[in-house]
Amino acid sequence: LRAAEAGLLTSHGGGYYSIHPALPWFFKRFLDQYYDAARDQPARAFGGAMGELGSYYHNRYGAGNSDVVSALSLEEPNLLHGRNLARRFGLWGSVVSAMQGLQTLYDHTGRRPEWARLVAETVPYFVNRATDGPIEGREDDWGIVTGYRVRMAMNAREWQEAERLQTMVVKWFRSVAATAFAAAPGDLNDVQRHQISSLGASLTTLALIQREIGSPKCVETLKDSLGISLRIGDGSGQAAATFNLGRAYTEAPPVRDLAEAERWFRRSLELLDENDRVGRYKCLGELGRVTYERFVEARKAGKPEPDLLGLINEAASYHHQALAVVPHDDPSGHVAQHNQLGSIYGDAGDV
């Protein structure tokens, strides 16, 4: 507090401060004086620390704490610098950990071009481009980095490439988790639980790709993922699998069933932590979309006006509920809800 009062630090709230630009220049001579013989030591330590911080925020966000995005925005320069230092010293686990935090920030705020640039820089350090397999000694992080490539292929709607890469990722995580699967759930340690959880998450991503190409296999893959999450009591994994089962029954023509979709979306909503604003608005938005689809089908079937009015009002209500919990810094969330409300009000004749 005294440093802030003296103008050396600027408070941003929540225990976060930025440093006055003159201070790095002033303290550099002390760095040169006291770390001259081993000046790499503080740089390595900083790279490792930023990796730990990136993982921490990524995991918090995954557990439904979208408020960490504001902290990540402040930490972005530190994460980028820490990532570069970790890469310089060959701290490959720290490189990926810092990337995890940056992915959370860029994905939440819709900054895809910046993320694509970072991934392009990172891939050659982990992926053997001749085989797309891992570089020797960096196998532990290959699955995560290849997962980045999968997401980019999905964003570009390159579904065959996404499916090819993600099938490799699932096979890899299944082999890593083989020993953990042989143990009783109550005997699993944290590392084994993480291995099994990673396999479940990789199956969910594969199912998303299968859904987009219209394959009914997506339901079987998601139920496999759900079973894995149930085995280790992974609530966030269960919420993700049930949410995507709802999407499958809404969007995959071979298995389309709106009643089943609604059931799974409601189940996902029940599993979510009440503070998970991102998960909640997505579930509410999908319930609104399912209700709107039921309205469209009822209108085609010539259902009575009161039935149609009830359905379209219910759909609008879900999207307004979703808008009430969308984080202010999540542009894609606002876009999705406003777009759907535009369709609803258009069909209701309220131009």
Side-chain angles (χ1 to χ4, degrees), residues 83 124 228 286:
R83 167 186 171 275
I228 287 172
E286 290 300 326

Side-chain angles (χ1 to χ4, degrees), residues 237-302:
Q238 293 172 49
T242 51
F243 174 82
N244 284 293
L245 276 165
R247 292 282 301 271
Y249 282 113
T250 306
E251 299 176 21
V255 296
R256 181 179 165 86
D257 184 332
L258 294 181
E260 193 71 359
E262 181 178 3
R263 183 173 77 85
W264 285 111
F265 284 133
R266 290 192 183 280
R267 177 60 179 147
S268 183
L269 195 59
E270 291 170 359
L271 287 164
L272 290 170
D273 185 279
E274 63 179 13
N275 295 318
D276 186 350
R277 296 175 62 188
V278 172
R280 294 186 71 79
Y281 91 68
K282 288 183 176 181
C283 277
L284 290 165
E286 290 300 326
L287 284 167
R289 189 157 71 102
V290 167
T291 306
Y292 176 70
E293 293 286 339
R294 290 170 57 201
F295 160 80
V296 171
E297 292 184 356
R299 184 173 56 181
K300 288 180 180 178

